[in-house]
Every structure is written in C-alpha cells, then in structure tokens.
C-alpha cells in the first residue's frame, strides 16, 4: 500500500525520478500528466525496477514528442536497455549510464 501511495504522490508532482515501475498499470496515470512530463528532454530511470512494453511505448512517444531531439535516458537499467534493443528504438534516445 505504501508503494502505491508513493507512486501516486510521484505522479501528482510529476517526479519521474521516484517512480519504480513503467508498466501497463502505471502508464495510464503518467499519460494523463504527459503534457507536463513531456516538457523535459531527459529522465533518470535509476529507480525503475519493473518495465513492460507499455512503459517502453510511453518513453518512445515522449521521445517522438521532442520533435527533432532525442530523449536523454540516464541511469538506464538493463531490462529497459534490453527492451529498447528488442523493439529497435535506439535512435530515439541518448543513453547515459
């Protein structure tokens, strides 16, 4: 329950650095805040422990919204890197670990 409350607080404040999951269950709330979130051109994924195709799709849409720029991903976990490679989305991102 505490994790859910922390997640809801992170979404409410647009604090992507405190989110631990980019998945089908979390992307819906993130999508509602996308206009604020997509203003940033970089994001730290250091606390992400769970990701699925929905989370990768959210990052890809965010990157495409930057119109000519790439989304900078910092502290990218291996599971995220693997999905980016699997879906051949490397050209959308600048990866800094």
């Amino acid at each position: 329950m505490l994790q859910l409350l922390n997640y809801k607080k992170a979404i409410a404040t647009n604090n992507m650095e405190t989110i631990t999951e980019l998945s089908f269950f979390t992307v819906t709330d993130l999508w509602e805040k996308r206009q604020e979130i997509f203003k940033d051109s970089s994001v730290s994924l250091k606390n992400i422990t769970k990701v699925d195709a929905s989370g990768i799709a959210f990052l890809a849409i965010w990157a495409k919204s930057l119109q000519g720029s790439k989304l900078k991903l910092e502290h990218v976990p291996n599971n995220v890197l693997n999905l980016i490679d699997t879906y051949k989305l490397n050209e959308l991102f600048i990866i800094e670990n």
Side-chain angles (χ1 to χ4, degrees):
M1 184 67 163
L2 181 59
Q3 185 177 7
L4 180 61
L5 291 174
N6 288 339
Y7 163 74
K8 293 291 185 182
K9 182 178 178 182
I11 296 296
T13 61
N14 297 325
N15 190 351
M16 290 292 294
E17 289 192 17
T18 60
I19 293 174
T20 60
E21 183 175 333
L22 278 174
S23 71
F24 174 79
F25 299 106
T26 61
V27 167
T28 304
D29 291 331
L30 291 170
W31 186 254
E32 291 176 8
K33 298 281 192 172
R34 72 186 177 278
Q35 289 184 346
E36 286 299 314
I37 294 169
F38 288 8
K39 288 179 182 176
D40 291 327
S41 61
S42 67
V43 62
S44 173
L45 302 178
K46 67 181 176 183
N47 293 317
I48 298 296
T49 57
K50 182 177 179 182
V51 64
D52 65 13
S54 299
I56 296 300
F58 182 79
L59 292 175
I61 292 167
W62 183 352
K64 289 182 177 185
S65 78
L66 297 176
Q67 301 175 349
S69 295
K70 293 183 178 187
L71 179 61
K72 183 165 113 180
L73 304 178
E74 300 170 342
H75 311 288
V76 186
N78 286 334
N79 57 344
V80 175
L81 288 173
N82 290 338
L83 286 172
I84 288 171
D85 286 339
T86 298
Y87 295 120
K88 300 184 184 344
L89 297 172
N90 301 66
E91 70 276 355
L92 296 176
F93 307 107
I94 297 169
I95 309 254
E96 291 189 1
N97 278 338

